[in-house]
Amino acid sequence: MLHSKPKEDTYLHKGLRKNLIDTLKKKGIKDARVLDAINAIPRHFFLDPAFERKAYEDRAFPIAAGQTISQPYTVAYMTELLEIKKFDKVLEIGTGSAYQACVLAEMGATVYSIERQKELYDYIGKFFFLKNYPSIKRFYGDGYQGLKTYAPFDKVIVTAAAPYVPEKLIEQLKPGGIMMIPVGSDGAQKMLRITKDKDGNIHEEELGDFSFVPMLGGKEQ
Ligand code: SAH
């Protein structure tokens, strides 16, 4: 397993990461805490060694089980709009590479992350870097169900394209909470920012266009 052995974070990697941060700033990311978190995490640890340089391009990239590690800009954008505070309880749908989960944990959040693909769930379990983030709790399950036992959550982040906003995820959001979710069919989705006010009323803002892998129903072996 390429993921199981620690890798080095050299000056070259750090330099490439600095350039990535500059790119994210140019694209409009302003929250210094988000940028600091991205700067603190060696994204090349999440990719096969053959693609190390690609890790610092602002692009999504294939990982195990036909899935992708999200584009750094997308991670930064969603994280900024979630207004993460230290000790926030965050529900993430779609652990994937766990990169997004690490960014949230680096900012001090406790992350409850669900992955529906057993192969990917097990693979990430062997990833040496996750030992640095005991505040990431991983679950093998179906994101449409959320995690009732641990609800409610301050924030919810869905990192797969949802055909609609799952009702259970709305229920599991705290009053005053924020959810980021890309909604739409394969290929193109609208990013939605959903807020639940103190009285439990739901407000929805439609933001830009994004492209995620689909949020599928049920678990996969
Ligand atoms: N957050 C990830 C991006 C993962 S890509 C990262 O930072 O790398 C989307 C992930 O969502 C895939 O791993 C896919 O298997 C998972 N997924 C799709 N539908 C799901 C569902 N219903 N429940 C949980 N995970 C799901």
Side-chain angles (χ1 to χ4, degrees):
M1 272 290 167
L2 56 101
H3 256 80
S4 53
K5 286 198 232 82
K7 291 190 198 173
E8 265 191 274
D9 188 28
T10 65
Y11 281 106
L12 171 67
H13 297 119
K14 290 187 171 99
L16 291 170
R17 207 145 67 236
K18 199 96 209 82
N19 294 343
L20 173 63
I21 299 300
D22 289 341
T23 303
L24 297 177
K25 280 188 195 162
K26 280 194 197 109
K27 290 186 176 177
I29 305 300
K30 292 191 182 65
D31 189 336
R33 293 167 52 249
V34 173
L35 295 167
D36 286 350
I38 291 176
N39 200 30
I41 299 172
R43 192 167 180 266
H44 66 282
F45 286 1
F46 296 73
L47 302 185
D48 189 283
F51 303 116
E52 279 202 351
R53 273 182 173 266
K54 296 263 178 227
Y56 297 109
E57 290 175 15
D58 187 23
R59 286 204 235 179
F61 210 76
I63 51 165
Q67 297 299 325
T68 57
I69 175 169
S70 300
Q71 184 180 346
Y73 173 73
T74 306
V75 171
Y77 180 82
M78 292 176 91
T79 308
E80 182 167 79
L81 287 165
L82 277 177
E83 299 174 15
I84 297 298
K85 294 184 190 70
K86 218 171 176 181
F87 307 123
D88 264 356
K89 236 172 102 180
V90 183
L91 173 65
E92 180 190 30
I93 310 304
T95 313
S97 69
Y99 180 70
Q100 171 75 71
C102 288
V103 171
L104 294 165
E106 180 64 34
M107 292 178 74
T110 300
V111 186
Y112 296 77
S113 186
I114 311 178
E115 174 55 56
R116 70 179 286 282
Q117 285 207 48
K118 186 77 167 66
E119 183 189 343
L120 204 46
Y121 172 82
D122 289 342
Y123 178 74
I124 297 302
K126 299 185 181 106
F127 185 20
F128 74 93
F129 189 62
L130 284 194
K131 292 187 182 68
N132 297 323
Y133 296 107
S135 62
I136 299 176
K137 326 274 179 210
R138 296 183 314 110
F139 301 84
Y140 166 52
D142 175 12
Y144 280 94
Q145 306 306 316
L147 281 174
K148 200 164 181 245
T149 356
Y150 298 91
F153 298 94
D154 298 294
K155 311 284 160 67
V156 175
I157 178 169
V158 179
T159 68
Y164 56 88
V165 182
E167 192 52 42
K168 287 191 177 156
L169 301 187
I170 296 276
E171 282 168 16
Q172 293 175 22
L173 188 63
K174 267 188 201 169
I178 305 174
M179 179 188 313
M180 295 297 298
I181 178 169
V183 176
S185 53
D186 268 16
Q189 303 93 42
K190 288 278 176 212
M191 187 66 74
L192 300 186
R193 185 179 195 253
I194 297 173
T195 45
K196 192 185 258 189
D197 68 23
K198 298 281 177 216
D199 304 317
N201 300 314
I202 302 299
H203 305 270
E204 214 176 274
E205 287 164 79
E206 199 178 286
L207 305 164
D209 295 309
F210 287 84
S211 177
F212 285 81
V213 298
M215 179 170 175
L216 302 171
K219 291 194 277 186
E220 189 168 305
Q221 270 304 315

